[in-house]
Amino acid sequence: MAVGNKGVLLVDWDNLAGAIIGRGHLVERGIVDALWSDATNRCGGHLQYKHMAATKFDGSISTAMAEHLIDDDVVGSAKEQADIHLTVLAMDYLHQDCGQFVLVTGDQDFIPLIRRLLRDGCRVTVVYGDRGRLSPQFRGILTLPGLDSLCIDDIYTLQKPPPATCRALLGLLELQRRGVILGGKEQAERTTTLARWGILENEDESRYWALIESLGHKVARTDAAVRVKEQFLPVNRTRTYVDVGSGRFADVLAIDYVVRRLAARSKGLTVTELRAGPLQADNGSRLLRALDALTAVQLVRRGADDAYAVTVDDLAQGYLEPLWRVHAGLTMECFRTQSRTIPYRRLPGLLSATGVGQGPEKFNAGLVNRVLKYASSAGVVDAVAVDGARHALATNSPFARPIEDAYHELYRAFVGRAPSPIPESEILEYMAVKDRTRAEPVFGYDQRDRHRILRVLAQSRAITWRSEKVTIPQTRWGDAGSSFA
């Protein structure tokens, strides 16, 4: 086939970005500038068609693409659709007499396309993100006559992310997940544990309190329950929790997402496979921070195959679902009884009645007690004195706001259809559509996230969800949230 001098740039962005992040570097808009510039030079100024395919693009990347008139081709799945979409485009342009192709990918699924372009006399350049990640077959194809290949380093100086800052955040959060109280006297060897994880330089307790000063949030209570002989009396106490303000909650979301995905995959996942959900358009900094922190705290390990896997068995619910379950269950009961608090002794039964999480262990008393200790340590539930008894109080914790927001939005949308059940598919579709145009989703990033919200609300008796039908009845908690909408 006779070929012309028109040039084509086709970028498998998810593959390139995953390779760059996997090497511990950032994905920046300068990479797009460099790809465009290099392709333009190789095509002698005749770069006519430009496409980048990905499941999602960061705002800065989209801006660079728009400046260079690069088409953004959003695909539903990085693995299954990007290669097919770009191959179809390449064949279309081949039949339009394009003779110079710059393919940016390290995916061996492009090998048949590369062979076809070379066979038809095209000049082909392959740009990859990490030679160490290329399969033997792909490395072999790069040696064929008529093909140029280069690593992204050859046209752009990759940047390292700033020093990891969420190790300490996760360290304190993990202590709380284990039921450790951050304030008060030393307990559970918390200083020793943080030093072992490399979060503290040594076991000097003064360093621990300096860390608490920078990452802690203190809440003063005048009615904290303190046992005096046979009753609980209100006493002034200061509670210490992790402060997830100042953008730190985004790191918590990333950590929660990563551990849940890894817990669901016994063989582990690579960095590229983890670039989904809240990390889909991440420039690499948040994902690398999360993985660095999880590795330091010894919850995750990196294997010889570059796949990350969890090292403990109790992370399937992540860091947020247990807290949501306690908050939603307690809040529903308080509104039902029209009381600010309920007796603390009722909490275990409240949770065990419908369970926590999924699987056969969801009714286990040990699991319920661990979740309650975590919720108390994290400040989602507090113990206060009421008429000489110890009562549970649902606090205004930032950890609980996502489940509050999700419930109240569902309530406003569907309570008018009660008591008729609604097909589960309709509820899930509503959640997906509403989040599609939001910068920060209310219902999560995928079907697994949306199911998690329905599960927590159903276990907390805010909704009923069975036989693929959802009923959202009128409740005092729902009405209270709607009144502030």
mmCIF file with all atom_site columns, all heavy atoms in Angstrom, residues 370-382:
data_model
loop_
_atom_site.group_PDB
_atom_site.id
_atom_site.type_symbol
_atom_site.label_atom_id
_atom_site.label_alt_id
_atom_site.label_comp_id
_atom_site.label_asym_id
_atom_site.label_entity_id
_atom_site.label_seq_id
_atom_site.pdbx_PDB_ins_code
_atom_site.Cartn_x
_atom_site.Cartn_y
_atom_site.Cartn_z
_atom_site.occupancy
_atom_site.B_iso_or_equiv
_atom_site.pdbx_formal_charge
_atom_site.auth_seq_id
_atom_site.auth_comp_id
_atom_site.auth_asym_id
_atom_site.auth_atom_id
_atom_site.pdbx_PDB_model_num
ATOM 1  N N   . ARG A 1 370 ? -14.888 -5.230 67.888 1.00 0.00 ? 370 ARG A N   1
ATOM 2  C CA  . ARG A 1 370 ? -13.742 -4.527 67.283 1.00 0.00 ? 370 ARG A CA  1
ATOM 3  C C   . ARG A 1 370 ? -14.206 -3.262 66.564 1.00 0.00 ? 370 ARG A C   1
ATOM 4  O O   . ARG A 1 370 ? -13.559 -2.208 66.638 1.00 0.00 ? 370 ARG A O   1
ATOM 5  C CB  . ARG A 1 370 ? -12.997 -5.446 66.319 1.00 0.00 ? 370 ARG A CB  1
ATOM 6  C CG  . ARG A 1 370 ? -12.184 -6.543 66.981 1.00 0.00 ? 370 ARG A CG  1
ATOM 7  C CD  . ARG A 1 370 ? -11.171 -7.151 66.025 1.00 0.00 ? 370 ARG A CD  1
ATOM 8  N NE  . ARG A 1 370 ? -11.762 -7.676 64.809 1.00 0.00 ? 370 ARG A NE  1
ATOM 9  C CZ  . ARG A 1 370 ? -12.267 -8.892 64.674 1.00 0.00 ? 370 ARG A CZ  1
ATOM 10 N NH1 . ARG A 1 370 ? -12.252 -9.721 65.727 1.00 0.00 ? 370 ARG A NH1 1
ATOM 11 N NH2 . ARG A 1 370 ? -12.770 -9.308 63.524 1.00 0.00 ? 370 ARG A NH2 1
ATOM 12 N N   . VAL A 1 371 ? -15.310 -3.375 65.846 1.00 0.00 ? 371 VAL A N   1
ATOM 13 C CA  . VAL A 1 371 ? -15.832 -2.220 65.114 1.00 0.00 ? 371 VAL A CA  1
ATOM 14 C C   . VAL A 1 371 ? -16.261 -1.121 66.080 1.00 0.00 ? 371 VAL A C   1
ATOM 15 O O   . VAL A 1 371 ? -16.011 0.067  65.837 1.00 0.00 ? 371 VAL A O   1
ATOM 16 C CB  . VAL A 1 371 ? -17.006 -2.668 64.212 1.00 0.00 ? 371 VAL A CB  1
ATOM 17 C CG1 . VAL A 1 371 ? -17.776 -1.463 63.692 1.00 0.00 ? 371 VAL A CG1 1
ATOM 18 C CG2 . VAL A 1 371 ? -16.488 -3.499 63.042 1.00 0.00 ? 371 VAL A CG2 1
ATOM 19 N N   . LEU A 1 372 ? -16.874 -1.500 67.195 1.00 0.00 ? 372 LEU A N   1
ATOM 20 C CA  . LEU A 1 372 ? -17.286 -0.502 68.178 1.00 0.00 ? 372 LEU A CA  1
ATOM 21 C C   . LEU A 1 372 ? -16.077 0.185  68.813 1.00 0.00 ? 372 LEU A C   1
ATOM 22 O O   . LEU A 1 372 ? -16.098 1.398  69.045 1.00 0.00 ? 372 LEU A O   1
ATOM 23 C CB  . LEU A 1 372 ? -18.154 -1.154 69.250 1.00 0.00 ? 372 LEU A CB  1
ATOM 24 C CG  . LEU A 1 372 ? -19.598 -1.458 68.837 1.00 0.00 ? 372 LEU A CG  1
ATOM 25 C CD1 . LEU A 1 372 ? -20.316 -2.203 69.948 1.00 0.00 ? 372 LEU A CD1 1
ATOM 26 C CD2 . LEU A 1 372 ? -20.338 -0.163 68.498 1.00 0.00 ? 372 LEU A CD2 1
ATOM 27 N N   . LYS A 1 373 ? -15.033 -0.570 69.115 1.00 0.00 ? 373 LYS A N   1
ATOM 28 C CA  . LYS A 1 373 ? -13.816 0.029  69.668 1.00 0.00 ? 373 LYS A CA  1
ATOM 29 C C   . LYS A 1 373 ? -13.194 0.999  68.668 1.00 0.00 ? 373 LYS A C   1
ATOM 30 O O   . LYS A 1 373 ? -12.725 2.083  69.029 1.00 0.00 ? 373 LYS A O   1
ATOM 31 C CB  . LYS A 1 373 ? -12.809 -1.059 70.042 1.00 0.00 ? 373 LYS A CB  1
ATOM 32 C CG  . LYS A 1 373 ? -13.155 -1.843 71.290 1.00 0.00 ? 373 LYS A CG  1
ATOM 33 C CD  . LYS A 1 373 ? -12.073 -2.836 71.638 1.00 0.00 ? 373 LYS A CD  1
ATOM 34 C CE  . LYS A 1 373 ? -10.789 -2.133 72.066 1.00 0.00 ? 373 LYS A CE  1
ATOM 35 N NZ  . LYS A 1 373 ? -9.757  -3.118 72.487 1.00 0.00 ? 373 LYS A NZ  1
ATOM 36 N N   . TYR A 1 374 ? -13.189 0.624  67.399 1.00 0.00 ? 374 TYR A N   1
ATOM 37 C CA  . TYR A 1 374 ? -12.658 1.485  66.351 1.00 0.00 ? 374 TYR A CA  1
ATOM 38 C C   . TYR A 1 374 ? -13.477 2.775  66.260 1.00 0.00 ? 374 TYR A C   1
ATOM 39 O O   . TYR A 1 374 ? -12.914 3.881  66.233 1.00 0.00 ? 374 TYR A O   1
ATOM 40 C CB  . TYR A 1 374 ? -12.685 0.720  65.031 1.00 0.00 ? 374 TYR A CB  1
ATOM 41 C CG  . TYR A 1 374 ? -12.301 1.506  63.801 1.00 0.00 ? 374 TYR A CG  1
ATOM 42 C CD1 . TYR A 1 374 ? -11.419 2.595  63.853 1.00 0.00 ? 374 TYR A CD1 1
ATOM 43 C CD2 . TYR A 1 374 ? -12.802 1.138  62.553 1.00 0.00 ? 374 TYR A CD2 1
ATOM 44 C CE1 . TYR A 1 374 ? -11.067 3.294  62.698 1.00 0.00 ? 374 TYR A CE1 1
ATOM 45 C CE2 . TYR A 1 374 ? -12.456 1.819  61.394 1.00 0.00 ? 374 TYR A CE2 1
ATOM 46 C CZ  . TYR A 1 374 ? -11.602 2.901  61.479 1.00 0.00 ? 374 TYR A CZ  1
ATOM 47 O OH  . TYR A 1 374 ? -11.259 3.592  60.340 1.00 0.00 ? 374 TYR A OH  1
ATOM 48 N N   . ALA A 1 375 ? -14.805 2.648  66.231 1.00 0.00 ? 375 ALA A N   1
ATOM 49 C CA  . ALA A 1 375 ? -15.666 3.828  66.120 1.00 0.00 ? 375 ALA A CA  1
ATOM 50 C C   . ALA A 1 375 ? -15.475 4.759  67.310 1.00 0.00 ? 375 ALA A C   1
ATOM 51 O O   . ALA A 1 375 ? -15.491 5.988  67.171 1.00 0.00 ? 375 ALA A O   1
ATOM 52 C CB  . ALA A 1 375 ? -17.121 3.409  66.002 1.00 0.00 ? 375 ALA A CB  1
ATOM 53 N N   . SER A 1 376 ? -15.294 4.185  68.490 1.00 0.00 ? 376 SER A N   1
ATOM 54 C CA  . SER A 1 376 ? -15.064 4.994  69.685 1.00 0.00 ? 376 SER A CA  1
ATOM 55 C C   . SER A 1 376 ? -13.708 5.678  69.625 1.00 0.00 ? 376 SER A C   1
ATOM 56 O O   . SER A 1 376 ? -13.576 6.873  69.913 1.00 0.00 ? 376 SER A O   1
ATOM 57 C CB  . SER A 1 376 ? -15.158 4.115  70.931 1.00 0.00 ? 376 SER A CB  1
ATOM 58 O OG  . SER A 1 376 ? -14.860 4.851  72.100 1.00 0.00 ? 376 SER A OG  1
ATOM 59 N N   . SER A 1 377 ? -12.671 4.948  69.224 1.00 0.00 ? 377 SER A N   1
ATOM 60 C CA  . SER A 1 377 ? -11.324 5.519  69.134 1.00 0.00 ? 377 SER A CA  1
ATOM 61 C C   . SER A 1 377 ? -11.247 6.612  68.077 1.00 0.00 ? 377 SER A C   1
ATOM 62 O O   . SER A 1 377 ? -10.512 7.596  68.236 1.00 0.00 ? 377 SER A O   1
ATOM 63 C CB  . SER A 1 377 ? -10.313 4.411  68.805 1.00 0.00 ? 377 SER A CB  1
ATOM 64 O OG  . SER A 1 377 ? -10.327 3.401  69.776 1.00 0.00 ? 377 SER A OG  1
ATOM 65 N N   . ALA A 1 378 ? -12.008 6.438  66.981 1.00 0.00 ? 378 ALA A N   1
ATOM 66 C CA  . ALA A 1 378 ? -11.979 7.413  65.888 1.00 0.00 ? 378 ALA A CA  1
ATOM 67 C C   . ALA A 1 378 ? -12.919 8.585  66.123 1.00 0.00 ? 378 ALA A C   1
ATOM 68 O O   . ALA A 1 378 ? -12.901 9.549  65.347 1.00 0.00 ? 378 ALA A O   1
ATOM 69 C CB  . ALA A 1 378 ? -12.345 6.725  64.573 1.00 0.00 ? 378 ALA A CB  1
ATOM 70 N N   . GLY A 1 379 ? -13.750 8.523  67.163 1.00 0.00 ? 379 GLY A N   1
ATOM 71 C CA  . GLY A 1 379 ? -14.625 9.645  67.483 1.00 0.00 ? 379 GLY A CA  1
ATOM 72 C C   . GLY A 1 379 ? -15.933 9.669  66.748 1.00 0.00 ? 379 GLY A C   1
ATOM 73 O O   . GLY A 1 379 ? -16.621 10.698 66.726 1.00 0.00 ? 379 GLY A O   1
ATOM 74 N N   . VAL A 1 380 ? -16.343 8.542  66.133 1.00 0.00 ? 380 VAL A N   1
ATOM 75 C CA  . VAL A 1 380 ? -17.637 8.476  65.465 1.00 0.00 ? 380 VAL A CA  1
ATOM 76 C C   . VAL A 1 380 ? -18.754 8.292  66.481 1.00 0.00 ? 380 VAL A C   1
ATOM 77 O O   . VAL A 1 380 ? -19.888 8.727  66.269 1.00 0.00 ? 380 VAL A O   1
ATOM 78 C CB  . VAL A 1 380 ? -17.636 7.345  64.419 1.00 0.00 ? 380 VAL A CB  1
ATOM 79 C CG1 . VAL A 1 380 ? -19.026 7.075  63.878 1.00 0.00 ? 380 VAL A CG1 1
ATOM 80 C CG2 . VAL A 1 380 ? -16.701 7.720  63.265 1.00 0.00 ? 380 VAL A CG2 1
ATOM 81 N N   . VAL A 1 381 ? -18.433 7.635  67.592 1.00 0.00 ? 381 VAL A N   1
ATOM 82 C CA  . VAL A 1 381 ? -19.385 7.482  68.695 1.00 0.00 ? 381 VAL A CA  1
ATOM 83 C C   . VAL A 1 381 ? -18.659 7.883  69.978 1.00 0.00 ? 381 VAL A C   1
ATOM 84 O O   . VAL A 1 381 ? -17.466 7.621  70.132 1.00 0.00 ? 381 VAL A O   1
ATOM 85 C CB  . VAL A 1 381 ? -19.917 6.034  68.785 1.00 0.00 ? 381 VAL A CB  1
ATOM 86 C CG1 . VAL A 1 381 ? -18.786 5.040  69.013 1.00 0.00 ? 381 VAL A CG1 1
ATOM 87 C CG2 . VAL A 1 381 ? -20.953 5.905  69.880 1.00 0.00 ? 381 VAL A CG2 1
ATOM 88 N N   . ASP A 1 382 ? -19.363 8.546  70.867 1.00 0.00 ? 382 ASP A N   1
ATOM 89 C CA  . ASP A 1 382 ? -18.752 8.967  72.131 1.00 0.00 ? 382 ASP A CA  1
ATOM 90 C C   . ASP A 1 382 ? -19.589 8.429  73.288 1.00 0.00 ? 382 ASP A C   1
ATOM 91 O O   . ASP A 1 382 ? -20.783 8.159  73.137 1.00 0.00 ? 382 ASP A O   1
ATOM 92 C CB  . ASP A 1 382 ? -18.677 10.492 72.211 1.00 0.00 ? 382 ASP A CB  1
ATOM 93 C CG  . ASP A 1 382 ? -17.514 10.960 73.071 1.00 0.00 ? 382 ASP A CG  1
ATOM 94 O OD1 . ASP A 1 382 ? -16.976 10.126 73.835 1.00 0.00 ? 382 ASP A OD1 1
ATOM 95 O OD2 . ASP A 1 382 ? -17.156 12.141 72.981 1.00 0.00 ? 382 ASP A OD2 1
#
